[in-house]
Amino acid sequence: MPTTAFIYTTSENSIEKGHVTWESPSNIALVKYWGKKENQIPANPSISFTLSNCKTITTLSYKKLPNPSDEYQFEVFLEGNKQDDFKPKINIFFKRIEQYVPFIKEYAFKIETSNTFPHSSGIASSASGMSALALCVMSIEKELNPNITATDFTNKASFLARLGSGSACRSLEGDIVCWGAHKEINGTSDLFGVKYPHKVHENFKNYQDTILLVDKGEKQVSSTVGHNLMHKHPYAENRFKQAHDNLSKLIQVFKTGNLKSFIEIVESEALTLHAMMMTSLPYFVLMKPNTLEIINKIWTFRETSGLHLCFTLDAGANVHLLYPENEKQQVLDFINSQLVGYCQNAHYICDNVGFGAKLISN
Ligand code: PMV
């Protein structure tokens, strides 16, 4: 599908003002997106579990300007407080999406946003935040053009979210979403995320994700910088091929419910992501000593308990513990007895697989 298919052209209606609220969750990648081409096109396909409890709630209020403006007119509030330091990122987002939703120049916006997780928890709010904002913008498009189909609405919202933050395009639906063309997964595209279309075994229903907050500080290296370091990276080509192969293997794993293979793929993906960081030039390390302590404890626990707990990492030091729902009690006991000491202020967040964004009010 060409990107021109996403350009808004018709205007059935004219709207003076209104407001809309969406909530959108975070997601955790199983096969990681790391490396991109121009215009936020991923260097390899990725797949994620959509989360349920970690989400952003955004209200977009809009009022028509007497004349279209040269600059984007908006104010942004986080938990009720004016947040001018969010403005540059939103400006870049508006600039990238303007050709697809040109009406954004015709309105003054108030963006009010809040997260269900603490802002300084090291949990990236860009996936949930950018997807919630993209959905709000699409709700305006739907007011202007009520004939848009539900599928076109979701695909375009994901397309816009991708331009804000790549992984945000995987947050709109659930419970498993792929982004990036893969030859064995029908309907996949580099332009937007799609719900995983093939069979998923019962073992993965309501899969649990407990996030251990090892380091709540700002990351020393942003993911934008990290992605760019995959250009001229000595291992890039093999890594991109590995992601395709791991996705092919996951199709089988989802079909058969083979948790042993699932663990192997997911942990290898997490460590490969960080290996790419450590072998970039300049190189960098986002794991902390406690990240490694936790990983070692997980491996010992798995060996002795025979349970199916595994870990994954995003671009930071926090550890996501993934496990089937029927092992929840034993894993929580293990976390409380052996892992909580490695978390900053003993802080961890319990989440599970969810079903995507929701319209709260319109
Ligand atoms: O969406 P970005 O640009 O913040 O990149 C996210 C990259 C990872 O979280 C490390 C991997 C992924 O696929 O989500």
Side-chain angles (χ1 to χ4, degrees):
M1 189 188 277
T3 53
T4 46
F6 292 96
I7 297 174
Y8 173 82
T9 45
T10 52
S11 183
E12 307 254 316
N13 293 344
S14 155
I15 310 157
E16 283 310 308
K17 61 178 184 175
H19 55 88
V20 58
T21 304
W22 277 91
E23 64 166 50
S24 190
S26 186
N27 67 73
I28 181 69
L30 306 171
V31 171
K32 307 289 181 180
Y33 148 61
W34 197 245
K36 60 180 164 186
K37 305 176 196 165
E38 241 188 297
N39 301 323
Q40 303 273 101
I41 297 300
N44 64 260
S46 57
I47 193 163
S48 50
F49 279 149
T50 306
L51 296 183
S52 178
N53 303 329
C54 290
K55 57 195 176 191
T56 298
I57 301 109
T58 298
T59 298
L60 183 67
S61 307
Y62 47 97
K63 195 168 171 198
K64 191 130 190 188
L65 295 162
N67 296 302
S69 158
D70 282 341
E71 307 261 298
Y72 306 113
Q73 302 286 323
F74 67 96
E75 288 193 315
V76 51
F77 295 82
L78 175 67
E79 261 113 49
N81 301 312
K82 207 154 185 254
Q83 199 75 32
D84 284 342
D85 55 332
F86 281 12
K87 286 187 110 176
K89 212 167 174 193
I90 295 173
N91 241 314
I92 293 173
F93 175 58
F94 282 161
K95 205 180 210 146
R96 288 183 185 159
I97 67 170
E98 187 196 325
Q99 59 171 310
Y100 305 105
V101 282
F103 54 82
I104 60 172
K105 280 255 164 111
E106 296 170 21
Y107 290 92
F109 296 108
K110 183 177 179 193
I111 304 165
E112 292 166 283
T113 189
S114 61
N115 298 320
T116 56
F117 48 91
H119 181 56
S120 56
S121 60
I123 297 187
S125 57
S126 57
S128 52
M130 283 299 173
S131 52
L133 185 56
L135 284 158
C136 289
V137 170
M138 279 309 293
S139 284
I140 303 178
E141 176 163 329
K142 192 173 160 64
E143 290 277 314
L144 294 167
N145 173 22
N147 297 329
I148 185 165
T149 65
T151 307
D152 287 350
F153 180 97
T154 308
N155 287 349
K156 183 165 172 183
S158 175
F159 174 91
L160 298 180
R162 184 195 99 242
L163 294 171
S165 170
S167 58
C169 77
R170 296 190 311 240
S171 275
L172 288 83
E173 297 178 282
D175 43 356
I176 301 174
V177 175
C178 342
W179 166 42
H182 186 275
K183 62 180 189 317
E184 289 165 61
I185 309 178
N186 301 334
T188 45
S189 166
D190 285 347
L191 300 179
F192 52 87
V194 293
K195 188 173 155 57
Y196 179 69
H198 302 306
K199 194 177 159 234
V200 180
H201 192 277
E202 280 295 307
N203 282 353
F204 298 103
K205 292 279 171 306
N206 206 25
Y207 223 71
Q208 305 290 303
D209 180 5
T210 302
I211 309 161
L212 304 184
L213 303 179
V214 171
D215 186 52
K216 304 186 192 177
E218 274 287 303
K219 280 187 281 191
Q220 300 103 314
V221 180
S222 72
S223 49
T224 309
V225 171
H227 285 294
N228 284 332
L229 291 173
M230 288 304 282
H231 295 295
K232 302 200 188 114
H233 191 291
Y235 305 133
E237 282 320 306
N238 276 332
R239 159 61 198 151
F240 301 147
K241 181 177 178 308
Q242 179 198 38
H244 280 269
D245 294 347
N246 279 341
L247 254 173
S248 298
K249 289 185 195 160
L250 261 188
I251 297 172
Q252 283 313 310
V253 166
F254 281 141
K255 199 159 146 187
T256 58
N258 184 338
L259 292 176
K260 198 164 169 278
S261 304
F262 177 79
I263 290 169
E264 193 173 284
I265 295 164
V266 167
E267 291 191 347
S268 164
E269 277 288 321
L271 294 177
T272 302
L273 169 71
H274 284 258
M276 290 301 110
M277 298 172 187
M278 291 189 242
T279 47
S280 302
L281 263 183
Y283 40 78
F284 59 104
V285 181
L286 295 184
M287 290 188 279
K288 297 283 181 202
N290 282 351
T291 312
L292 292 176
E293 294 284 358
I294 291 166
I295 290 174
N296 279 306
K297 290 270 182 196
I298 290 170
W299 286 339
T300 309
F301 174 75
R302 203 160 65 218
E303 186 86 26
T304 52
S305 69
L307 297 177
H308 301 92
L309 170 65
C310 72
F311 71 87
T312 189
L313 308 166
D314 54 18
N318 296 334
V319 184
H320 288 248
L321 303 189
L322 300 178
Y323 50 99
E325 190 182 20
N326 62 7
E327 298 182 4
K328 189 170 172 175
Q329 200 46 56
Q330 289 121 302
V331 172
L332 286 177
D333 290 346
F334 165 63
I335 293 171
N336 285 318
S337 63
Q338 293 201 48
L339 300 184
V340 78
Y342 298 114
C343 302
Q344 224 179 321
N345 308 326
H347 195 174
Y348 64 87
I349 295 175
C350 292
D351 211 335
N352 49 264
V353 162
F355 292 89
K358 276 196 218 122
L359 178 64
I360 303 296
S361 77
N362 198 355

